[in-house]
């Protein structure tokens, strides 16, 4: 409500109250309030005025009411005798003075000598005109009449007329006549009805006449003699007492004057500013007040007002009409009520609006939910549904009966919730039919209580909310991921993780551990050839076939563990023989030729194996032990399947130590190159040197190449070491005064993983040595197959002028038959054959055969490990042109070799004497 409207409304209310006061519409309320005040402030009569009641027994004694005049006479006599001050005879005495009792009265009045007074009554004539009924003149002369009003004021009478004028006479009222010493208002005053009539001393006439009263009661008192009963005509309607007889009203009026309690009416004028004040207060403060405060304020104010009115009436004789003020307050409180109702209406409206908008938001939240949401009320009707729910279940869910549109599994869960309040404590998964398709969903049902109007529910009560999610795709992806985690995507074989798990499963129970398990690791060789020659797609296809073949070998699990390594898990400990047998079968199976899209390919396989007896029951350890056996088997071409042994475990440890030490040696310059001369067996001249790596460990001293070369190969450091030796040797030898040839050992690993061609080119370029002086020594194992890519490298090197020597000939698998087709210039007969000369016949035969074939193939031959002169001569006689061995010189540092190189031949070989040797040759 606006302030202006508030002011206007309250002003109208107050104006109405003022008008009501002005128009006297509230007089009855004011009368009632005054009655209340009179009874609250009841006060006793003074006792100076005594009422002598003409009772029935006295009238009966007189014979008639008229005859009672005689009784008056007797009463006057008694009262006069008792010393009463004034005696008022309230009764119509009529005109005639004929009866004997009239005379008696006259005589009594005469005796009373003016103490007695009669009454002149004022009543209404037939036309409503005032009629004054005077006592007979004779009596009036003896007892001057006082005026009493009996009939003019029929209704509530509060005011008392003080005097009237009649036929030129001014007649005093009874009350003023009884207390002439009191100053009274000119015309009228208000009777104080608070005076308790019952406290006015009263004696019946019969008691008076028969002397039944307290002696001295009437002495100096004023006495009113009148009728005790009141009839319709003689009674008056008054405040507090409702109806009183005329003498009673006169008594109260007389007491009012006697006690100086003549009241004054304040009238409506002072009430109006009070009402205006109330309005002002209300107008100013109402807006800051609650309704309760306004009511409490009004009640307090009303109470204070009434109390003030009471105090004023009692102490100041001022009568204030408060009804108007109360009405104004009531009106203002009513307007406050109205405001409150209005405000509540507003807040209800805004609450309803808010609820509507919340409902809208809620419905939107439900509708737009990423999950399927369906809300069902107790009538089994769908009250809300998300778009996704409609898409998955059926369109037009909203408003439909749940039985018609929801799958049975949802219905059951919802019914349970709605009927017995059972809600699901966890998310469930079920397959539901969605049209043609089946979907896997997870869902949950929750229960809520809503009020009517919420979530489209008209009745309110329980609603169940079903939330579901289509997890069909998610589950499929999860399955796929699990599959990928457990399988090798290329071959479909088990992954390493799953392989270890499978092994763990076998060994999980005591019974399983009792049976044990065996693991075979199959490493493929020459897969690189397939990849390089046919392409990786073929390599992949081959791997798939390998996995397939291994899968048919009765294994518990077949896994692809690395690029070219497969794992095969068997239940039970097979033992060395059976295990080796099985491994051989695996190798044979893998080695069978493959047909790949019209191409044929062959790969080799090596197997490392272990079992739970050897490695313990840890699956991880078993796999690593089998892997170790495989790596050792791979390092030793030609060895069959290898069973893990404790020594291998020790080797891996020292291998790790060796790797650290080698690394430090390379960085710390602990390597050096020694040279062993190669001698022309014909002339005894040094025609070349073989560079041999030397490692001087700061603590261990000299470490044999037989120890560190394999370690460097295993760790891969051989590539770096080999490159360093090549550079250092070329640099060194190129600076020598004699252009001897230089043989450098190159490991197969350098060919496989390094860049031999690049290294050689760089070494030659930086040293300035002629390529023809450089001999690259390779081992047989490097070129077991004619198709090996190493052959191409060798051809390239040869094309650039570099020579190739086949080291340790006779120890490997090289077949003499294809030796001629290999890009090799020189063959070095292994020292194990030379060592057998001249006594070992088998060794001698082999040496002779090699020398013959080499000659026929046009290859040079170098004999290694010549330790005696006999060996040297024998080889020379057999056609070997170059020899190398301790007989000529041990390997030594560059400076030492350089000295030997610059010596004259005779000084170098003082014992080299052909003729001395010849007879021995003949013996051979
Ligand atoms: P290798 O290439 O066959 O070298 C010849 C080995 O025979 C050398 O052993 C040499 O000291 C030894 N030797 C020479 N004459 C005699 C003899 O009359 N009697 C006996 N018992 N031994 C003789 P070393 O230096 O211990 O080298 C062993 C092997 O280590 C070499 O055999 C070679 O395969 C390898 N090696 C040495 N240095 C290198 C290198 O720089 N790179 C590579 N890849 N391998 C190397
Ligand atoms: Mg060598
Ligand atoms: Mg050798």
């Amino acid at each position: 409500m606006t302030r202006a409207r508030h002011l206007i409304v309250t002003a109208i209310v107050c104006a109405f109250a003022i008008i009501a006061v002005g128009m006297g519409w509230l007089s009855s309320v004011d009368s009632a309030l005054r009655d209340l005040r009179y009874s609250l402030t009841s006060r006793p009569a003074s006792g100076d005025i005594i009422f002598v009641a003409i009772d029935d027994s006295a009238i009966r004694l007189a014979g008639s009411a008229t005859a009672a005049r005689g009784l008056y006479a007797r009463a006057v006599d008694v009262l006069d005798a008792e010393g009463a001050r004034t005696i008022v005879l309230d009764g119509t005495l009529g005109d005639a003075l004929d009866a004997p009792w009239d005379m008696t009265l006259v005589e009594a009045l005469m005796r009373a000598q003016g103490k007695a007074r009669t009454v002149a009554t004022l009543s209404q004539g037939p036309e409503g005109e005032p009629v004054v009924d005077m006592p007979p003149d004779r009596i009036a002369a003896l007892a001057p009449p006082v005026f009493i009003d009996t009939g003019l004021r029929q209704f509530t009478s509060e005011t008392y007329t003080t005097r009237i004028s009649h036929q030129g006479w001014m007649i005093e009222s009874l009350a003023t006549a009884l207390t002439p010493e009191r100053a009274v208002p000119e015309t009228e005053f208000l009777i104080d009805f608070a005076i308790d009539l019952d406290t006015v001393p009263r004696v019946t006439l019969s008691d008076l006449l028969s002397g039944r009263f307290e002696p001295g009661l009437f002495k100096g008192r004023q006495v009113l003699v009148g009728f005790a009963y009141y009839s319709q005509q003689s009674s008056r309607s008054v405040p507090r007492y409702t109806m009183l007889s005329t003498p009673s009203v006169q008594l109260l009026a007389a007491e009012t004057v006697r006690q100086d309690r003549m009241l004054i009416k304040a009238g409506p004028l002072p009430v109006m500013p009070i009402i205006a004040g109330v309005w002002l207060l209300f107008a100013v403060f109402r807006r800051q007040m609650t309704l309760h405060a306004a009511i409490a304020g009004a009640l307090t104010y009303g109470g204070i007002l009434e109390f003030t009115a009471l105090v004023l009436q009692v102490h100041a004789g001022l009568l204030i009409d408060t009804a108007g003020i109360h009405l104004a307050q009531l009106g203002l409180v009513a307007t406050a009520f109205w405001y409150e109702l209005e405000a509540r209406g507003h807040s209800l409206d805004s609450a309803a609006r808010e609820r509507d908008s919340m409902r809208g938001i809620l419905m939107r939240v439900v509708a737009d939910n990423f999950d399927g949401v369906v809300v069902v009320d107790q009538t089994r009707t769908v009250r809300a549904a998300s778009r996704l729910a409609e898409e998955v279940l059926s369109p037009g869910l909203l408003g439909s009966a749940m039985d018609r549109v929801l799958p049975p599994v949802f219905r059951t869960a919802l019914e349970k919730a709605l009927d017995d309040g059972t809600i699901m404590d966890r998310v469930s998964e079920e397959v539901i039919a969605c049209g043609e398709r089946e979907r896997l969903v997870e869902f949950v049902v929750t229960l809520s209580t809503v009020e009517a109007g919420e979530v489209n529910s008209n009745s309110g009560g329980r609603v169940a909310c079903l939330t579901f999610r289509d997890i069909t795709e998610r589950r499929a992806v999860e399955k796929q991921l699990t599959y990928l985690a457990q399988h090798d995507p290329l071959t479909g074989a088990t992954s390493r993780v799953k392989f270890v798990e499978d092994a763990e499963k076998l060994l999980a129970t005591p019974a399983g551990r009792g049976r044990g398990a065996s693991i075979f690791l199959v490493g493929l060789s020459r897969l690189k050839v397939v990849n390089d020659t046919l392409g990786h797609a073929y390599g992949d296809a081959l791997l798939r076939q390998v996995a397939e073949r291994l899968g048919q070998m009765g294994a518990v699990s077949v896994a692809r563990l690395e690029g070219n390594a497969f794992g095969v898990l068997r239940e039970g400990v097979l033992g060395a023989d059976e295990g080796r047998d099985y491994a051989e079968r695996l190798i044979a199976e893998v080695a069978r030729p493959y047909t790949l899209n019209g191409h044929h390919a062959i790969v080799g396989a090596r197997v490392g194996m272990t079992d739970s007896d050897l490695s313990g029951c840890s699956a991880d350890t078993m796999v690593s032990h089998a892997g170790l056996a495989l790596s050792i088997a791979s390092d030793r071409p030609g060895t069959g399947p290898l069973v893990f042994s404790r020594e291998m475990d020790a080797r891996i440890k020292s291998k790790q130590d060796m790797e650290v030490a080698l690394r430090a040696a390379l960085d710390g310059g602990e390597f050096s190159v020694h040279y062993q001369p190669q001698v022309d067996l014909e002339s005894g001249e040094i025609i070349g040197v073989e560079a041999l790596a030397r490692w001087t460990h700061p603590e261990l001293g000299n470490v044999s190449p037989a120890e560190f070369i394999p370690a460097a190969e295993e760790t891969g450091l051989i590539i770096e070491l080999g490159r360093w030796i090549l550079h250092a040797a070329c640099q060194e030898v190129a600076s020598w005064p004699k252009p001897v040839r230089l043989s450098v050992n190159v490991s197969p690993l350098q060919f496989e993983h390094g860049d031999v061609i690049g290294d050689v080119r760089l070494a030659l370029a930086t040293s300035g040595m002629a390529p023809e002086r450089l001999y690259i020594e390779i081992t047989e194992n490097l070129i077991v197959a004619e198709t090996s890519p190493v052959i191409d490298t060798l051809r390239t090197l040869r094309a650039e002028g570099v020579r190739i020597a086949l080291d340790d000939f006779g120890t490997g698998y090289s077949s003499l038959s294809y030796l001629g087709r290999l890009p090799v210039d020189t063959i070095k007969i292994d020292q194990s054959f030379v060592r057998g000369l001249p006594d070992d016949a088998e060794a001698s035969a082999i040496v002779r055969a090699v020398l013959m074939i080499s000659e026929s193939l046009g290859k040079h031959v170098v004999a290694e490990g010549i330790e005696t002169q006999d060996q040297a001569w024998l080889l020379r006689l057999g056609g070997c042109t170059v020899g190398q061995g301790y007989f000529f010189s041990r390997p030594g540092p560059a400076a030492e070799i350089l000295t030997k190189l610059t010596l004259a031949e005779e000084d170098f070989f003082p014992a080299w004497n052909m003729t001395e040797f010849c007879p021995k040759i003949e013996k051979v």
Side-chain angles (χ1 to χ4, degrees):
M1 175 173 280
T2 60
R3 187 166 182 83
R5 195 176 141 213
H6 167 69
L7 286 176
I8 291 168
V9 171
T10 48
I12 290 172
V13 167
C14 292
F16 174 77
I18 290 171
I19 291 168
V21 170
M23 299 298 285
W25 294 336
L26 301 171
S27 54
S28 56
V29 183
D30 276 320
S31 302
L33 284 171
R34 274 203 299 280
D35 284 359
L36 187 71
R37 278 179 227 137
Y38 286 137
S39 25
L40 284 176
T41 56
S42 184
R43 56 168 68 222
S46 63
D48 286 346
I49 300 166
I50 300 170
F51 181 49
V52 174
I54 303 172
D55 54 340
D56 285 349
S57 50
I59 291 176
R60 269 200 306 279
L61 205 71
S64 71
T66 340
R69 288 179 201 158
L71 294 176
Y72 285 146
R74 286 174 63 190
V76 168
D77 279 341
V78 174
L79 291 170
D80 183 34
E82 283 296 318
R85 204 170 122 201
T86 313
I87 304 154
V88 180
L89 300 174
D90 177 12
T92 315
L93 295 172
D95 298 328
L97 276 174
D98 44 359
W101 43 77
D102 288 343
M103 288 315 295
T104 323
L105 179 62
V106 168
E107 280 162 15
L109 291 176
M110 283 169 67
R111 278 193 296 276
Q113 294 173 354
K115 270 187 201 169
R117 306 293 294 262
T118 52
V119 294
T121 56
L122 177 68
S123 60
Q124 249 171 329
E127 306 291 303
E129 75 284 357
V131 177
V132 178
D133 190 4
M134 290 289 284
D137 289 343
R138 205 157 145 209
I139 288 179
L142 290 170
V146 290
F147 148 74
I148 58 168
D149 175 2
T150 56
L152 270 183
R153 296 165 192 264
Q154 286 288 336
F155 307 102
T156 307
S157 174
E158 291 175 80
T159 48
Y160 188 81
T161 310
T162 42
R163 52 183 68 90
I164 53 165
S165 80
H166 178 65
Q167 294 171 353
W169 291 83
M170 185 58 74
I171 309 172
E172 261 186 304
S173 70
L174 185 148
T176 49
L178 283 186
T179 317
E181 64 273 15
R182 291 269 185 267
V184 292
E186 245 346 81
T187 51
E188 57 183 21
F189 62 86
L190 290 168
I191 300 169
D192 186 0
F193 287 94
I195 295 165
D196 188 357
L197 197 60
D198 291 341
T199 57
V200 174
R202 164 191 286 253
V203 178
T204 59
L205 186 57
S206 33
D207 284 346
L208 180 79
L209 295 181
S210 50
R212 286 195 299 273
F213 55 85
E214 230 178 280
L217 175 70
F218 297 102
K219 183 115 178 106
R221 303 273 151 75
Q222 283 148 330
V223 181
L224 175 65
V225 181
F227 287 95
Y229 60 89
Y230 52 89
S231 63
Q232 192 66 29
Q233 288 87 7
S234 65
S235 63
R236 306 271 293 272
S237 167
V238 293
R240 185 181 178 189
Y241 296 101
T242 320
M243 295 298 281
L244 281 182
S245 63
T246 309
S248 296
V249 175
Q250 295 303 324
L251 275 171
L252 283 179
E255 274 293 336
T256 301
V257 177
R258 174 76 189 73
Q259 295 187 29
D260 206 6
R261 291 287 308 157
M262 287 152 292
L263 303 178
I264 307 152
K265 232 181 182 168
L269 279 179
V271 170
M272 292 179 187
I274 293 177
I275 291 175
V278 168
W279 169 73
L280 207 63
L281 279 177
F282 199 81
V284 171
F285 294 115
R286 164 62 192 125
R287 289 171 75 88
Q288 283 100 327
M289 278 191 258
T290 61
L291 175 65
H292 291 105
I295 294 171
L299 285 175
T300 314
Y301 189 80
I304 292 170
L305 186 72
E306 276 309 312
F307 181 74
T308 313
L310 198 68
V311 169
L312 285 174
Q313 186 171 321
V314 173
H315 296 287
L318 195 63
L319 285 186
I320 296 176
D321 289 337
T322 52
I325 305 168
H326 291 310
L327 178 69
Q329 287 206 109
L330 202 70
L332 292 174
V333 169
T335 58
F337 252 119
W338 177 38
Y339 298 162
E340 190 75 16
L341 283 179
E342 219 175 43
R344 287 198 183 171
H346 282 313
S347 59
L348 277 178
D349 280 356
S350 68
R353 273 198 301 278
E354 198 175 321
R355 201 186 57 202
D356 283 352
S357 74
M358 277 311 294
R359 198 169 95 179
I361 292 168
L362 194 64
M363 295 308 288
R364 171 50 64 79
V365 167
V366 170
D368 293 350
N369 208 296
F370 286 131
D371 289 328
V373 180
V374 178
V375 180
V376 176
D377 69 6
Q378 272 176 322
T379 64
R380 310 295 195 259
T381 310
V382 175
R383 287 296 169 204
S386 67
R387 257 192 295 282
L388 195 118
E390 301 220 329
E391 273 167 31
V392 175
L393 301 174
S394 79
L397 282 179
L398 214 63
S400 306
M402 125 181 145
D403 293 347
R404 226 165 36 74
V405 289
L406 297 186
V409 54
F410 286 170
R411 291 204 301 262
T412 316
L414 285 165
E415 258 160 20
K416 254 191 198 164
L418 288 170
D419 292 345
D420 16 299
T422 319
I423 53 164
M424 297 165 63
D425 51 358
R426 62 189 170 78
V427 175
S428 275
E429 269 184 36
E430 293 284 349
V431 174
I432 57 164
C434 297
E436 308 272 281
R437 301 173 307 162
E438 285 206 323
R439 313 294 297 168
L440 178 66
V441 292
E442 59 178 18
F443 69 99
V444 73
V445 169
T446 52
L447 203 58
S448 319
T449 309
V450 294
E451 290 187 9
E454 269 182 87
V455 201
N456 285 352
S457 167
N458 298 327
S459 51
R462 255 182 204 171
V463 294
C465 176
L466 163 81
T467 308
F468 68 92
R469 190 172 291 173
D470 186 346
I471 54 167
T472 319
E473 273 81 31
R474 195 180 82 195
R475 271 296 129 80
V477 171
E478 278 170 7
K479 250 190 197 162
Q480 180 77 14
L481 286 175
T482 312
Y483 180 85
L484 286 178
Q486 295 184 340
H487 294 86
D488 168 43
L490 178 67
T491 61
T494 304
S495 68
R496 172 183 278 272
V497 176
K498 178 78 176 16
F499 185 72
V500 171
E501 274 175 19
D502 289 344
E504 275 169 354
K505 236 183 248 165
L506 277 187
L507 300 168
T509 59
R513 284 193 286 278
R515 281 190 298 276
S518 304
I519 285 179
F520 300 81
L521 254 59
V522 182
L524 305 187
S525 59
R526 294 198 294 271
L527 178 65
K528 192 168 181 298
V529 180
V530 177
N531 279 334
D532 290 348
T533 53
L534 297 175
H536 282 267
Y538 286 82
D540 291 349
L542 188 138
L543 282 168
R544 276 193 285 274
Q545 289 190 27
V546 171
E548 214 170 283
R549 288 183 190 185
L550 292 175
Q552 288 158 2
M553 298 295 290
V556 174
S557 177
V558 172
R560 182 163 172 240
L561 303 177
E562 278 165 31
N564 62 349
F566 286 83
V568 176
L569 173 68
R570 286 279 310 260
E571 189 171 13
V573 173
L574 298 183
D577 291 344
E578 204 188 325
R580 202 164 279 122
D581 240 38
Y582 182 73
E584 298 282 10
R585 273 165 46 217
L586 290 177
I587 292 171
E589 190 60 31
V590 173
R592 277 196 298 115
Y594 296 84
T595 309
L596 307 167
N597 203 15
H599 291 81
H600 298 288
I602 296 177
V603 289
R606 288 175 190 123
V607 173
M609 59 191 175
T610 190
D611 56 43
S612 47
D613 280 359
L614 290 168
S615 298
C617 286
S618 153
D620 266 326
T621 312
M622 284 178 75
V623 171
S624 84
H625 283 175
L628 181 58
L630 172 64
S631 81
I632 293 169
S634 305
D635 287 349
R636 298 185 202 159
T639 47
L642 266 192
V643 183
F644 168 77
S645 66
R646 282 286 140 206
E647 295 74 59
M648 290 181 184
D649 202 23
R651 201 184 117 174
I652 190 91
K653 285 206 178 76
S654 65
K655 183 182 153 186
Q656 281 160 2
D657 296 345
M658 184 67 87
E659 184 176 356
V660 176
L662 281 175
R663 181 80 256 170
L666 258 175
D667 297 341
E670 293 171 17
F671 286 104
S672 59
V673 188
H674 279 197
Y675 301 92
Q676 187 175 35
Q678 291 174 340
V679 177
D680 183 336
L681 291 179
E682 203 66 51
S683 62
E685 187 189 356
I686 297 175
I687 54 149
V689 288
E690 179 179 0
L692 293 162
R694 289 293 176 264
W695 179 15
T696 312
H697 191 275
E699 285 154 27
L700 303 173
N702 293 330
V703 184
S704 159
E707 247 182 89
F708 73 78
I709 293 292
E713 284 178 330
E714 268 176 39
T715 56
L717 283 168
I718 190 68
I719 295 170
E720 211 175 317
L721 179 62
R723 190 184 299 135
W724 179 80
I725 302 256
L726 179 69
H727 279 264
C730 285
Q731 206 73 36
E732 187 87 64
V733 174
S735 68
W736 289 351
K738 202 172 169 189
V740 292
R741 58 197 196 195
L742 168 68
S743 292
V744 178
N745 296 287
V746 176
S747 158
L749 258 108
Q750 286 174 267
F751 279 95
E752 210 177 321
H753 300 294
D755 174 20
V756 177
I757 297 172
D759 289 346
V760 167
R761 282 178 184 160
L762 189 67
L764 291 174
T766 50
S767 64
M769 193 164 75
E772 293 73 25
R773 286 174 65 191
L774 183 63
Y775 280 70
I776 296 296
E777 290 193 10
I778 58 168
T779 54
E780 276 186 276
N781 306 332
L782 188 65
I783 46 169
V784 279
E786 265 182 80
T787 51
S788 167
V790 177
I791 304 289
D792 295 336
T793 311
L794 297 177
R795 290 208 172 102
T796 312
L797 288 172
R798 282 184 90 202
E800 297 192 5
V802 176
R803 311 289 161 85
I804 309 295
L806 193 59
D807 204 356
D808 304 338
F809 186 78
T811 55
Y813 288 98
S814 349
S815 143
L816 287 170
S817 60
Y818 71 88
L819 197 59
R821 298 199 292 274
L822 290 177
V824 168
D825 302 278
T826 302
I827 292 164
K828 290 183 84 176
I829 301 176
D830 191 68
Q831 49 183 287
S832 56
F833 303 110
V834 175
R835 203 176 297 130
L837 293 181
D839 304 323
D840 186 336
E842 199 182 333
S844 303
I846 291 172
V847 171
R848 266 201 305 273
V850 171
L851 285 169
M852 271 167 56
I853 293 169
S854 305
E855 198 183 356
S856 66
L857 291 173
K859 313 280 183 198
H860 299 284
V861 176
V862 174
E864 285 189 295
I866 302 173
E867 292 186 353
T868 62
Q869 195 170 27
D870 289 0
Q871 289 166 345
W873 280 113
L874 263 177
L875 286 161
R876 182 191 160 178
L877 285 176
C880 179
T881 49
V882 181
Q884 181 184 344
Y886 293 167
F887 171 68
F888 301 108
S889 170
R890 285 185 174 259
E896 192 186 306
I897 301 304
L898 199 55
T899 328
K900 288 183 178 173
L901 202 61
T902 49
L903 282 176
E905 275 131 50
E906 352 20 302
D907 297 332
F908 180 49
F909 284 122
W912 189 249
N913 188 332
M914 195 64 185
T915 44
E916 228 176 81
F917 189 68
C918 278
K920 285 184 187 172
I921 297 283
E922 268 156 26
K923 264 192 239 164
V924 176

